[in-house]
Amino acid sequence: HVQLVESGGESVQAGGSLRLSCEGSGRTYDKWCMGWLRQAPGKEREGVASIAMDGRSTYADTVKGRFTISKDNAQSTLYLQMRSLKPEDTAMYYCAAGRGHCDLQTDFQHWGRGTQVTVS
């Protein structure tokens, strides 16, 4: 069973930066597709970024050029560096792990509880 714990979410002003982290149990990140997804109140959950076992990454158009996904396999930690934050980035951000083709539509089977990002 994969356990994921997110951290790093907080309230920031527009234009600011944040780095989210997701710690996983065991040798998680070299065996799974890892992703960051978010859900704002009243909106559907959307994929933000994903990173495959080989390090290939995919981004939503809304965050391209502003967000960077990365991972440290040895530390079983996933990161999301967010820059130039906008109010529309406000959401609960979730870390997830899945198998198969790795992109924003991956069937993520394991989820963390989320970390709140608020941009004002």
Side-chain angles (χ1 to χ4, degrees):
H1 180 67
V2 177
Q3 292 184 315
L4 304 169
V5 179
E6 304 94 335
S7 63
E10 60 182 75
S11 296
V12 295
Q13 291 189 339
S17 299
L18 278 178
R19 188 176 80 159
L20 305 183
S21 299
C22 174
E23 294 189 19
S25 59
R27 288 185 57 192
T28 306
Y29 299 158
D30 61 349
K31 294 184 177 180
W32 296 80
C33 167
M34 301 300 301
W36 286 100
L37 300 93
R38 67 186 181 186
Q39 188 165 21
K43 294 188 177 181
E44 292 189 357
R45 187 172 59 205
E46 63 171 343
V48 174
S50 65
I51 186 165
M53 289 183 286
D54 63 1
R56 176 181 51 84
S57 58
T58 305
Y59 296 93
D61 288 342
T62 52
V63 306
K64 274 181 185 175
R66 299 189 299 122
F67 290 11
T68 302
I69 189 171
S70 62
K71 61 178 179 172
D72 183 332
N73 287 338
Q75 300 296 323
S76 291
T77 304
L78 182 73
Y79 302 101
L80 185 68
Q81 178 69 51
M82 304 187 293
R83 298 182 176 87
S84 301
L85 284 162
K86 305 175 181 180
E88 51 263 44
D89 294 319
T90 296
M92 184 71 78
Y93 283 72
Y94 299 91
C95 169
R99 293 197 183 277
H101 181 69
C102 192
D103 58 22
L104 301 181
Q105 282 73 48
T106 294
D107 181 19
F108 292 104
Q109 292 126 17
H110 300 281
W111 295 79
R113 293 189 174 184
T115 186
Q116 178 68 38
V117 173
T118 303
V119 185
S120 59

